[in-house]
């Protein structure tokens, strides 16, 4: 079944919600799809026990109030072709045809391998925050947070609010960098307020600078974590360890559509022009997918892309100064939260890097090319399709990410064969059957 | 009135979670056991957002479901070690 719409928005985080609303304000027919059951993306993720921030409630209410805006929850875009996408929803597939497309696919956490990182109870920092909001039993648990960047503080505040005992936050950046970062904040009063509020909510929690997690220990779950700093190595007993090294844009859908990517540091982001159009005509991108920028960037870029996708270029153009100001803040982050080499050297030869296929670091030595390594070791061929290990290997300097168009083959997520069979004709148009069969291994 | 909890079964054991919670939260009520890796290691949620597939369980007979993106519903039958 093919359904048409004027503007299709993929991702219902702050960027996608703003895009859908802006496009719908011009009267066109808009469809907004997201893998999650509730709108809000990562920062406004639905919390089953606590109320959402006012901005999030407003954005969602505005979405629901528009009769020309159709919201599709728990719908995952699994494949793309020019002018149409394939969506899997409750095991069924449907095809949506669009006039213009806005990619607001957000970002994921950068997770780096270290001894013990596969133990249950070790997760990303934002990951534990997300799980907790969705009912994960965290009350009374001893949690250690580590990694880098402001997300550690936001996660810690959420965990504490839900009753966790936050043992410490270990930030790998040195003191001087953190002081320099703080001294810039006055230019973004909103951020300064946010930082002050977080500090209050985290009163009494140790914030250790220049320290990082070396290893996690346990049997069938984590029991203890090893921290390294100038003071030496310390072992701390805990129930959960949450380690995130910042964020990396989600670019798989863009790559599959043939949108040009560009490197932002070590990782790719979607390349857009001043109008937020990608290199593919009629396909726009906004928010973290175009480079990590935070919620203010996501909202203004989403609005710009939504206006532009609906053909309202003037409305989009009027937002350019706001976008520049918001992006300037984003540019500070990589400067001050630059990763030290120590955290890139934590994995030992026996540490598993590819968690889906259980491939250790030592098995990956000696391959200069990702494809050769993949064929020989199966690294990156499991269910996550390289999203975790590929990003980690890129950060470790062992893999150069592809930025050429069409580098990502469909489906972008493992998809059930029955769903794909139902998509029938779509397959013939978008890719060969062989691609589907090999890439969807593990979940058929 | 809206019910505030839902009840589901994990490996035959009854578990209750707040309405709107995901299946990962329900499984976690029983501890950190989720799936086994290819070489038999215990694994549990890593990314919390539907990308890593480490939280896989079988739900109502359908294998390889990501527990972190499925909302828990009354009467769901969840199996671990998927
Ligand atoms: C785990 C995590 C937690 C975070 N927590 C905070 C926080 O507490 N505070 C803070 O300031 N910042 C936080 N951030 C940073 C956050 O990414 C941004 O501030 C903001 O949410 C970016 O908005 P966005 O709309 O660009 O992307 P997102 O909010 O990431 O939204 C992207 C959406 O796209 C959807 N999507 C992606 N691909 C597909 C697909 N193929 N099919 C269907 N849907 C798809 C995702 O489900 C997601 O809902 C967090 C980031 C992560 C990764
Ligand atoms: S925890 Fe990563 S997919 Fe569920």
């Amino acid at each position: 079944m093919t359904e048409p719409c004027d503007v299709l928005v993929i991702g219902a985080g702050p960027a996608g919600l703003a895009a859908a609303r802006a496009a719908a304000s011009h009267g066109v027919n808009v469809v907004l799809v997201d893998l999650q059951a509730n709108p809000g993306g990562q920062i406004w993720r639905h919390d089953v026990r606590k109320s959402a921030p006012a901005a999030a409630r407003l954005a969602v209410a505005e979405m629901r109030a528009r009769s020309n805006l159709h919201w599709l929850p728990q719908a995952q875009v699994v494949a793309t072709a020019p002018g149409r996408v394939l969506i899997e929803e409750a095991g069924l597939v449907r095809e949506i045809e669009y006039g213009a497309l806005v990619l607001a696919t957000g970002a994921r956490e950068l997770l780096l391998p270290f001894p013990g990182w596969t133990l249950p109870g070790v997760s990303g920092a934002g990951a534990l925050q997300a799980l907790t909001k969705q009912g994960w039993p965290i009350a009374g648990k001893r949690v250690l947070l580590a990694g880098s960047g402001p997300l550690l503080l936001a996660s810690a505040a959420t965990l504490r609010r839900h009753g966790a005992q936050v043992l410490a936050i270990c930030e790998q950046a040195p003191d001087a960098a953190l002081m320099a970062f703080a001294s810039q904040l006055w230019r973004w009063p909103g951020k300064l307020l946010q930082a002050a509020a977080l500090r209050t909510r985290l009163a009494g929690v140790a914030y250790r600078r220049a320290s990082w997690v070396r290893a996690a220990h346990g049997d069938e779950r984590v029991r203890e974590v090893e921290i390294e700093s100038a003071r030496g190595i310390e072992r701390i007993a805990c129930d959960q360890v949450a380690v995130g090294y910042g964020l990396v844009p989600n670019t798989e859908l863009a790559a599959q559509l043939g949108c040009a990517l560009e490197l932002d540091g070590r990782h790719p982001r979607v390349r857009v022009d001043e109008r937020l159009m990608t290199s593919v005509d009629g396909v726009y991108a906004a928010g973290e997918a175009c480079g990590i920028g935070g919620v203010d960037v996501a909202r203004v870029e989403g609005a710009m892309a939504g206006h532009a996708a609906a053909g309202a270029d003037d409305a989009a153009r009027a937002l350019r100064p706001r976008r520049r100001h918001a992006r300037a803040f984003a540019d500070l982050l990589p400067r001050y939260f630059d990763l030290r080499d120590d955290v890139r050297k934590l994995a030992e030869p026996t540490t598993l890097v590819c968690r889906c296929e259980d491939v250790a670091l030592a098995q990956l030595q000696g391959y200069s090319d990702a494809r050769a390594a993949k064929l020989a070791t199966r690294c990156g061929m499991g269910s996550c399709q390289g999203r975790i290990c590929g990003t980690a290997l890129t950060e470790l300097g062992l893999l150069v990410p592809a930025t050429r168009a069409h580098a990502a083959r469909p489906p972008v997520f493992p998809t059930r064969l029955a769903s794909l069979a139902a998509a029938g004709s779509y397959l013939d148009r978008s890719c060969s059957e062989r691609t589907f069969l090999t890439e969807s291994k593990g979940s058929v | 009135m809206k019910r505030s909890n839902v009840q589901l079964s994990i490996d035959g054991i009854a578990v209750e979670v707040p309405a709107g919670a995901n299946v990962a939260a329900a499984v976690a009520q029983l501890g950190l056991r989720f799936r086994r890796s290819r070489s038999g290691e215990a694994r549990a949620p890593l990314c919390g957002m539907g990308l890593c597939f480490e939280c896989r369980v079988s739900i109502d007979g359908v294998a390889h479901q990501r527990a972190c993106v499925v909302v828990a519903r009354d009467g769901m039958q969840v199996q671990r070690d998927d």
Side-chain angles (χ1 to χ4, degrees), chain A residues 52-369:
Chain A
R57 288 203 303 268
L58 185 67
V60 172
E62 281 171 351
M63 176 197 86
R64 298 199 194 277
R66 293 238 166 233
S67 60
N68 57 334
L69 199 173
H70 189 53
W71 155 241
L72 291 183
Q74 285 181 294
Q76 163 167 287
V77 178
V78 294
T80 63
R84 49 175 54 119
V85 299
L86 191 69
I87 287 173
E88 191 182 32
E89 203 186 359
L92 300 171
V93 289
R94 60 206 269 189
E95 198 176 316
I96 298 191
E97 256 177 23
Y98 57 82
L101 177 67
V102 179
L103 294 166
T105 48
R108 56 170 166 267
E109 265 184 294
L110 174 59
L111 306 167
L112 295 180
F114 57 87
W117 80 310
T118 50
L119 282 172
V122 178
S123 70
L128 191 56
Q129 177 195 42
L131 290 165
T132 298
K133 287 183 176 177
Q134 295 182 104
W136 188 264
I138 203 70
K141 296 276 169 19
R142 296 164 304 168
V143 186
L144 188 115
L145 281 132
S148 200
L151 181 55
L152 294 183
L153 300 173
S155 300
T158 303
L159 298 177
R160 212 180 191 201
R161 198 163 167 230
H162 285 265
Q165 186 189 340
V166 180
L167 300 175
I169 303 168
C170 298
E171 164 63 62
Q172 59 85 45
D175 220 15
L178 294 167
M179 301 274 278
F181 173 70
S183 73
Q184 298 282 330
L185 280 183
W186 61 270
R187 290 162 63 200
W188 294 270
K191 301 282 178 198
L192 197 60
L193 273 176
Q194 231 177 356
L198 275 175
R199 175 167 286 190
T200 314
R201 282 168 64 188
L202 291 171
V205 174
Y207 185 65
R208 301 181 173 201
R209 297 131 204 262
S211 67
W212 58 95
V213 165
R214 269 170 61 95
H217 303 283
D219 33 45
E220 291 264 291
R221 50 159 283 224
V222 65
R223 307 256 174 213
E224 208 176 46
V225 67
E226 233 175 273
I227 308 292
E228 181 165 352
S229 68
R231 290 191 285 187
I233 295 170
E234 235 179 300
R235 287 171 84 120
I236 301 178
C238 60
D239 305 307
Q240 298 250 183
V241 186
V243 192
Y245 287 102
L247 303 175
V248 179
N250 286 327
T251 56
E252 288 78 14
L253 277 181
Q256 195 181 104
L257 276 158
C259 304
L261 307 181
E262 61 192 8
L263 286 185
D264 175 21
R266 296 180 182 222
H267 303 276
R269 63 179 174 201
V270 183
R271 198 178 84 205
V272 286
D273 64 15
E274 277 243 291
R275 297 163 302 160
L276 298 188
M277 178 119 77
T278 67
S279 65
V280 176
D281 204 33
V283 177
Y284 299 81
E288 309 269 65
C290 320
I292 303 312
V295 64
D296 298 339
V297 167
R299 296 179 75 182
V300 66
E301 290 193 354
M304 287 175 72
H307 287 307
D313 287 329
D314 288 348
R317 197 173 303 116
L319 293 170
R320 282 185 194 173
R322 262 183 58 199
R323 176 189 181 217
R324 266 195 295 277
H325 184 66
R327 275 278 170 205
F329 172 75
D331 293 343
L332 294 180
L333 296 178
R335 197 144 28 109
Y336 298 114
F337 292 94
D338 194 24
L339 293 191
R340 61 178 69 228
D341 255 346
D342 305 82
V343 300
R344 296 197 186 93
K345 292 187 182 139
L346 292 171
E348 290 172 356
T350 53
T351 306
L352 297 183
V353 174
C354 170
R355 305 171 61 114
C356 299
E357 297 290 334
D358 287 356
V359 183
L361 184 64
Q363 289 170 265
L364 295 167
Q365 302 293 346
Y367 294 102
S368 54
D369 165 64

Side-chain angles (χ1 to χ4, degrees), chain B:
Chain B
M1 207 184 82
K2 220 170 112 180
R3 287 250 332 270
S4 57
N5 282 331
V6 297
Q7 209 179 65
L8 56 166
S9 130
I10 317 285
D11 292 344
I13 305 163
V15 158
E16 218 172 74
V17 286
N22 60 21
V23 172
V27 174
Q29 307 296 322
L30 296 183
L32 283 170
R33 216 182 94 214
F34 278 71
R35 77 172 189 105
R36 294 259 160 212
S37 81
R38 283 175 82 88
S39 55
E41 284 185 3
R43 296 284 172 79
L46 173 73
C47 76
M49 57 187 283
L51 297 178
C52 72
F53 289 73
E54 288 283 40
C55 64
R56 284 197 315 246
V57 291
S58 135
I59 302 174
D60 292 337
V62 183
H64 302 298
Q65 302 292 297
R66 283 163 290 174
C68 73
V69 296
V70 179
V71 177
R73 304 232 182 274
D74 266 325
M76 262 181 176
Q77 303 284 324
V78 177
Q79 298 288 327
R80 301 182 287 189
D81 291 338
D82 194 20

